[in-house]
Amino acid sequence: MTASTAPRPVRLRVAPSPTGDPHVGTAYVSLFDLAFVRQQGGTFILRIEDTDQARFREDSEQQIFDTLHWLGLNWDEGPDIGGPFAPYRQSERLDRYTPYVDRLLESGHAYHCWCSTERLAEMREAQQKAKRPTGYDRLCVGKTRDERAALPGFSEIPVVRMLIPADFDTRFTDLIRGELNAPHPDDQVIVKADGFPTYHLAVVVDDFEMGITHVVRGEEWISSTPKHILLHQWLGMDLPAYAHMPLLRNPDKSKISKRKNPAARLTWFREQGYLPEALVNFLALLAYPPKEDGREVFTFEEFVADFDWAKVNPVGPIFDLDKLGWLNGHYIRSLDCDELAARIVGHLILTGVLDPAPPPAQIELIRAATPLIQERMQLLSESEGMLAFLLVSDGDLVVEDDARAQLKDDADGVLDTAIATLEGLPQWTATDIEAALRTALVEGLGIKPKFAFTPLRVGVTGRRISPPLFESMEILGRESSLTRLRSLRASL
Ligand code: GLU
C-alpha cells in the first residue's frame, strides 16, 4: 500500500483527546506537524477528539489551547478559530459518520454484530485457554437480526464491525520508519452500541473530510494504521501519508504517562518555570539530530528550514530533564534582561506569588534584581526564592533557621559596626556599600570577608544563599536594609 501521489495542499492535524491535563506528546506531535507544515506552506489543524465521554474532562480543551499557544505552536484551523472544515470538535460531527457506515454495510465491508459482551468475554477466555489467537469468531457474519436472535449471547443493540479480508496485506510505508508490517487485525468495531463511532472510523472520516495529507501520531497507533488504510480504500478516499513518532520514554524506558511522571503533563513545565522556547527546542531534539556542527540549541525557524522526515530518529527517546534544565538555563541567560524580568513577573503571577496586577514598585524591584540572578537560574521558579527578600515587607521577613545557624558569636559586634557605617554612608550604591563595609569590618575589625558579610546577608535577605549582597542592598534601599539589620541585631 502506498500513499496517493496526487499533489494536494499539505494539511496536517493534531487530534488530542481532552482527557485531563494535556499530554506532552500533544506538543511533541504538534511541533513536528508544524515544522513540516511551515516548511511546505501548508495548514495545521487542531481537532479535538472528544467522543470518549467517560474520559472527557471539562476544562481540558481550554488547557490544550492555552499550553499549545504558550509554546507558540499555533494552529490555522481549530474549534476556537473555526475554518473551512468546521466543526473541529468530534462530538459536533456525529451525524457525519452515518452515511459512511451505511456505505460500508451496503458494500459488505462491514456487518452488524449482536454478540453480547458476556458472549465475547467467554469466547475470548476460551480462546486464551486453548492458546489460540484471540479475535471475534464472526458468529454474526451473514446473519439477519432474526437469525442471530435465535442463537445464544444475543444483545438487542448491535455494534458495526469491519469485515477484515483473510488475505489482508498489512504492510504500509511510514515516512520515518520505511516499510512496516502490522499484525493481522481483528474485525474492528467501528460503531459502538451507543451509536458513537469508534476512534478508528471517526479518524478516517475526519481526516478525509478535512483533506489531511499527512497523519502524524504516536507509534502506539502503528497497529491501527492498516485498518485505517483499508477503510480509506473501501470508501474510495485518497490515502494520507503516515509518520509514527517515537514514543517518549521515562529513564526506565517505559512509556511516559501522566500517572507516573509529572513531566508528561504540559502544564507542569509552565508551573516549573521552563521557557517555551527551551521546551520546543528540547522536544525537537528528542527525535531530531543536532545541527551538523553538533549544536543542540536551535530555533524553531532553523528546525523548519532543515526539517526532513527521514532524519527523525525512530528510537523512543528518553525524556531527560537534566538536559532540559541545561537548555532552559541557556535560554534564560540569552534573554534580554527586561524580557527575562517580564517572564519572571509572569511566572510569579502564575504561581500566585504575585497578585495578578502587581504594584509597579514591585515590578521595578524585580527588574532591578534580574541581572543579579540571571546567571544563577535554570528555572524561572528559582527566582521565587532568590527574590523573596525583595517581595516581603521588612516586618514580614523571616530569617530562616539554617541562615541564623551561620551566625557566629561576634555577629552582634559586626552588625553594630555595619549599621553605624551604613547610616553615615553618603551614597547608597553597591560600590560604596562594599567599600565602606570592607574598611569598617575587614580592615577595622580584622574579620575575614566571609564572616564579616554573613550577618549582613542573613539580616537583609533572611537566607544563607542570596544574590550578590551589596547589589541586593542597593536595590532594597538604605531604609529597608538598615531596618532589617537592626531587627536581626535586636533578636540576638
Ligand atoms: N486522539 C488520538 C490521540 O490522542 C489521535 C491519534 C491520531 O492522531 O490519529 O492519540
Side-chain angles (χ1 to χ4, degrees):
M1 287 181 261
T2 50
S4 155
T5 48
R8 291 194 284 159
V10 166
R11 293 175 58 83
L12 275 69
R13 61 20 173 214
V14 68
S17 300
T19 55
D21 240 328
H23 194 281
V24 66
T26 298
Y28 168 67
V29 168
S30 300
L31 172 62
F32 281 74
D33 276 344
L34 262 172
F36 186 64
V37 160
R38 295 292 174 251
Q39 185 189 59
Q40 302 289 317
T43 304
F44 178 49
I45 296 136
L46 171 63
R47 184 170 75 221
I48 297 290
E49 301 209 324
D50 58 349
T51 46
D52 188 348
Q53 294 296 322
R55 293 171 64 221
F56 179 78
R57 296 281 168 281
E58 187 70 40
D59 52 355
S60 178
E61 180 181 290
Q62 189 59 45
Q63 285 183 337
I64 292 171
F65 298 164
D66 292 347
T67 45
L68 290 182
H69 279 317
W70 170 67
L71 287 166
L73 302 174
N74 299 318
W75 48 98
D76 308 307
E77 297 171 20
D80 54 337
I81 51 173
F85 299 93
Y88 293 92
R89 227 176 250 114
Q90 222 162 47
S91 60
E92 294 166 13
R93 306 176 61 82
L94 290 177
D95 54 345
R96 295 175 175 251
Y97 306 109
T98 319
Y100 294 96
V101 178
D102 291 345
R103 270 166 60 195
L104 291 170
L105 286 167
E106 277 158 26
S107 60
H109 290 308
Y111 61 94
H112 284 114
C113 170
W114 291 271
C115 288
S116 64
T117 33
E118 295 74 29
R119 172 172 193 276
L120 293 173
E122 280 163 23
M123 176 196 74
R124 173 174 283 270
E125 208 182 318
Q127 288 167 338
Q128 279 166 345
K129 255 197 203 136
K131 302 220 173 350
R132 277 189 287 129
T134 54
Y136 181 54
D137 62 3
R138 297 191 163 170
L139 179 65
C140 295
V141 172
K143 295 196 173 62
T144 63
R145 186 182 186 287
D146 290 344
E147 285 165 354
R148 176 62 184 85
L151 300 172
F154 176 81
S155 165
E156 281 299 329
I157 305 170
V159 300
V160 177
R161 288 182 184 271
M162 291 170 73
L163 185 63
I164 304 277
D167 60 352
F168 176 42
D169 181 359
T170 52
R171 284 173 303 167
F172 67 98
T173 306
D174 181 274
L175 291 172
I176 300 172
R177 295 152 199 275
E179 181 96 343
L180 287 179
N181 200 354
H184 188 90
D186 194 8
D187 280 358
Q188 177 65 52
V189 173
I190 51 174
V191 181
K192 294 179 275 183
D194 61 9
F196 277 48
T198 59
Y199 157 73
H200 303 282
L201 176 69
V203 78
V204 165
V205 171
D206 290 346
D207 284 345
F208 167 68
E209 292 201 341
M210 294 182 182
I212 300 303
T213 52
H214 298 70
V215 169
V216 181
R217 56 186 172 200
E219 76 181 271
E220 70 267 36
W221 298 108
I222 287 178
S223 60
S224 300
T225 299
K227 294 183 268 193
H228 300 176
I229 293 176
L230 193 56
L231 285 171
H232 275 91
Q233 289 172 336
W234 284 342
L235 291 163
M237 300 166 169
D238 275 343
L239 272 186
Y242 290 93
H244 291 90
M245 294 294 296
L247 278 187
L248 307 179
R249 297 182 193 281
N250 293 307
D252 70 0
K253 304 254 169 82
S254 58
K255 175 183 164 185
I256 200 163
S257 79
K258 290 194 274 183
R259 261 182 309 110
K260 285 210 224 126
N261 189 339
R265 296 189 295 113
L266 269 182
T267 50
W268 181 83
F269 295 94
R270 204 174 178 181
E271 290 154 10
Q272 292 300 304
Y274 289 98
L275 300 185
E277 50 272 58
L279 183 54
V280 162
N281 192 157
F282 176 73
L283 291 175
L285 272 181
L286 282 175
Y288 209 77
K291 301 264 141 215
E292 282 83 41
D293 58 2
R295 180 161 57 93
E296 293 191 301
V297 178
F298 47 78
T299 61
F300 175 70
E301 288 69 29
E302 287 177 288
F303 183 43
V304 169
D306 179 62
F307 191 76
D308 181 355
W309 289 113
K311 283 196 189 175
V312 176
N313 183 354
V315 178
I318 304 276
F319 209 84
D320 177 2
L321 285 178
D322 290 340
K323 176 79 164 278
L324 176 57
W326 168 81
L327 261 179
N328 208 59
H330 174 91
Y331 276 93
I332 283 185
R333 287 191 297 283
S334 61
L335 283 182
D336 164 85
C337 244
D338 282 351
E339 173 62 23
L340 176 56
R343 305 273 192 120
I344 291 174
V345 169
H347 182 78
L348 296 177
I349 293 173
L350 178 83
T351 51
V353 175
L354 293 182
D355 288 340
Q362 225 169 24
I363 297 181
E364 187 42 44
L365 279 177
I366 293 173
R367 214 197 54 75
T370 296
L372 307 185
I373 61 174
Q374 183 163 22
E375 297 289 323
R376 300 164 178 242
M377 276 194 296
Q378 268 205 343
L379 300 176
L380 292 178
S381 52
E382 291 162 20
S383 65
E384 183 186 336
M386 291 194 257
L387 297 179
F389 76 99
L390 284 176
L391 303 176
V392 289
S393 65
D394 300 333
D396 287 339
L397 182 82
V398 176
V399 176
E400 293 178 354
D401 290 344
D402 65 340
R404 194 177 280 278
Q406 301 258 298
L407 298 176
K408 300 261 177 287
D409 291 345
D410 61 359
D412 49 357
V414 170
L415 284 167
D416 285 339
T417 307
I419 291 166
T421 308
L422 295 174
E423 278 171 343
L425 194 66
Q427 299 252 32
W428 192 257
T429 66
T431 323
D432 291 310
I433 297 168
E434 177 170 6
L437 290 174
R438 277 191 190 279
T439 309
L441 303 175
V442 181
E443 288 165 29
L445 299 183
I447 305 175
K448 285 202 175 106
K450 180 168 178 276
F451 298 114
F453 300 139
T454 295
L456 301 173
R457 183 185 309 282
V458 173
V460 169
T461 69
R463 292 181 173 237
R464 204 162 58 79
I465 297 168
S466 77
L469 177 62
F470 309 113
E471 283 82 355
S472 297
M473 289 170 78
E474 178 185 326
I475 292 168
L476 187 63
R478 185 196 305 254
E479 208 181 310
S480 279
S481 300
L482 282 168
T483 305
R484 292 177 182 197
L485 293 177
R486 287 189 196 111
S487 146
L488 178 64
R489 171 68 184 90
S491 74
L492 295 178

